[in-house]
Amino acid sequence: MVISSGQNPKIKRIASLKEKKYRAEYGEYLIEGVKMVKEAILSGQDIVSVIGVAPALTELPPCRAEVIETDSHVFSKLSETKTPQGVMAVLKIPVNERVAPTGNCVVLDGVSDPGNLGTIIRTSAALGIKDLYLCGCTDAYSPKCVRSSMSGIFFTNIHELDRETVGELLKDHTVIVADMHGEDLFDCSVKGDHAVVIGNEANGVSEYFKDIADKTVAIPMRENIESLNAAVSFAVIAYTLANKR
């Protein structure tokens, strides 16, 4: 049956996942686009349902989840993109235990922009960094963040914890804070596993992480440039440190 009403109970529940309070209530989030849904299926994500219009649904590999077919009008109401590809899915939000990181990790201290957060998740996945610790950040499972992660969210572990708990988990890691007053990144040496701490876009890293940091690093820039975007800063720092191992 093709659903053609936005008042259908299934459609209303799916639409509610655009809001953080319902993502928290149901423990579910949305992904959208043929490529991302394919990757979710092929990587074994916990998929609740696949939603789409007939042509796009045929492009997907087999999936055991419920398939909900809609008309284009209903789908456009669900979509968060300007040019919908005609397919999306509802996934379970993973429940990650309070565990110490395996290998290098990332700590995001108050990152508030979902685009930045998603890009950092994507970059972490590209580097093989598994664990990201979020302290007072924007919602990692918001539609904008998920889109920006470009499937990286499937291959990383997102831990939402308070600063003190994260600090305890990092006792065997070298904690490296990004701050414009730190030492030159390219002169920095690091041994063993490390945690890169990226702070809030406007206020930087909190005093808590500055106090427990083993190193503070800065990316050298021309005098007339005040700072770099948080996601860009992370990418430069993470790749530079990875190449120093």
Side-chain angles (χ1 to χ4, degrees):
M1 181 184 73
V2 178
I3 296 176
S4 57
S5 171
Q7 297 305 307
N8 180 283
K10 289 183 178 181
I11 299 302
K12 290 176 73 173
R13 172 164 172 160
I14 293 164
S16 75
L17 297 176
K18 296 178 184 181
E19 297 183 41
K20 182 177 181 179
K21 66 178 181 178
Y22 292 111
R23 291 194 293 273
E25 179 179 340
Y26 299 132
E28 299 170 354
Y29 72 105
L30 289 170
I31 64 171
E32 185 173 353
V34 173
K35 182 175 184 293
M36 199 164 191
V37 175
K38 275 185 179 178
E39 290 182 346
I41 294 170
L42 295 174
S43 63
Q45 300 303 301
D46 190 352
I47 302 173
V48 177
S49 58
V50 175
I51 309 97
V53 297
L57 288 172
T58 62
E59 297 181 44
L60 301 177
C63 176
R64 294 183 179 180
E66 178 186 19
V67 176
I68 300 171
E69 186 178 345
T70 73
D71 63 18
S72 57
H73 175 73
V74 169
F75 189 86
S76 68
K77 296 297 183 182
L78 292 174
S79 176
E80 287 279 294
T81 64
K82 292 182 179 179
T83 54
Q85 296 180 19
V87 67
M88 62 173 54
V90 175
L91 273 61
K92 283 288 186 183
I93 295 175
V95 178
N96 294 313
E97 297 179 1
R98 186 188 119 168
V99 292
T102 302
N104 297 335
C105 69
V106 186
V107 178
L108 302 178
D109 186 19
V111 171
S112 62
D113 181 83
N116 278 336
L117 178 54
T119 302
I120 291 170
I121 292 171
R122 179 183 183 182
T123 304
S124 299
L127 275 163
I129 294 172
K130 294 291 293 182
D131 294 299
L132 287 85
Y133 296 88
L134 277 56
C135 305
C137 293
T138 190
D139 184 6
Y141 295 96
S142 70
K144 184 175 180 180
C145 182
V146 171
R147 284 198 306 275
S148 298
S149 81
M150 295 291 288
S151 301
I153 203 161
F154 302 154
F155 305 106
T156 52
N157 301 320
I158 307 296
H159 309 270
E160 297 187 61
L161 300 168
D162 60 78
R163 293 181 176 95
E164 290 75 15
T165 299
V166 173
E168 292 172 6
L169 296 175
L170 297 180
K171 62 184 179 180
D172 294 326
H173 280 60
T174 300
V175 178
I176 303 173
V177 160
D179 185 88
M180 61 187 298
H181 301 297
E183 67 174 291
D184 189 318
L185 167 67
F186 302 115
D187 294 334
C188 173
S189 61
V190 59
K191 294 181 180 179
D193 293 331
H194 60 263
V196 175
V197 184
I198 301 293
N200 174 266
E201 292 86 347
N203 302 312
V205 174
S206 66
E207 291 301 319
Y208 175 81
F209 283 112
K210 287 180 180 179
D211 288 344
I212 69 167
D214 299 297
K215 291 179 179 289
T216 303
V217 299
I219 301 169
M221 292 179 285
R222 293 175 62 175
E223 291 182 4
N224 60 334
I225 302 298
E226 183 179 342
S227 63
L228 292 174
N229 168 281
V232 173
S233 295
F234 168 70
V236 173
I237 293 169
Y239 274 97
T240 300
L241 294 177
N243 286 329
K244 287 178 177 287
R245 293 177 69 83

